[in-house]
Amino acid sequence: MAENKVFKIGRLRLIDDFPIALHTSFVTKSTFPEIEKDGPDMTSMFQYYRQRGFVEFGSSRSTLNAIFPTLFERDILQCSSSIPLLQVGSLCRDKRSNQVLELTIIIYRSDCFTYVI
């Protein structure tokens, strides 16, 4: 059985040096062979995809969960355990091949956003 490494890439979103969201992407080495070398310098997953020839991509249906922060999330998002978080998960796919490029999980502080549905 062939082994395929999965890499976890996290980005902390700040407004005026205040953490408001944590973006986590999971990508495979088979899709992005240079990810281990490139990962530390990445600031935009979409820009990275474009640089690798994936120019048309989009998200699949997303799931939304209301959660309470773990100790790690409280620390990194600088919030108390009573601040609910919104967790959004989705797959990003290449539109031409339908290949999965990443699994994304984004955690938003619920007290920092207004949501229009």
Side-chain angles (χ1 to χ4, degrees):
M1 175 187 277
E3 197 174 294
N4 192 8
K5 282 188 174 181
V6 176
F7 288 84
K8 179 180 178 180
I9 300 166
R11 281 106 45 227
L12 184 62
R13 301 297 185 203
L14 305 170
I15 292 183
D16 296 328
D17 294 322
F18 184 76
I20 59 163
L22 178 61
H23 293 232
T24 306
S25 299
F26 298 89
V27 298
T28 61
K29 186 170 180 134
S30 63
T31 303
F32 301 103
E34 301 295 317
I35 193 68
E36 195 166 5
K37 176 180 69 75
D38 298 338
D41 298 320
M42 292 171 50
T43 56
S44 167
M45 293 304 292
F46 290 166
Q47 180 181 3
Y48 186 73
Y49 299 154
R50 287 184 192 99
Q51 292 170 344
R52 301 302 175 279
F54 297 102
V55 294
E56 288 188 68
F57 43 83
S59 294
S60 63
R61 183 173 46 173
S62 298
T63 58
L64 173 68
N65 295 303
I67 61 173
F68 286 99
T70 64
L71 186 57
F72 171 77
E73 292 158 349
R74 289 193 311 257
D75 184 49
I76 202 154
L77 293 172
Q78 299 176 18
C79 65
S80 71
S81 60
S82 62
I83 301 287
L85 305 176
L86 292 177
Q87 179 187 61
V88 179
S90 64
L91 294 176
C92 180
R93 294 182 180 272
D94 174 50
K95 287 190 177 181
R96 292 182 188 160
S97 67
N98 204 34
Q99 177 182 3
V100 172
L101 301 178
E102 73 174 323
L103 164 64
T104 303
I105 298 173
I106 305 171
I107 298 175
Y108 299 98
R109 285 186 56 143
S110 66
D111 59 340
C112 295
F113 294 89
T114 300
Y115 300 91
V116 179
I117 301 175

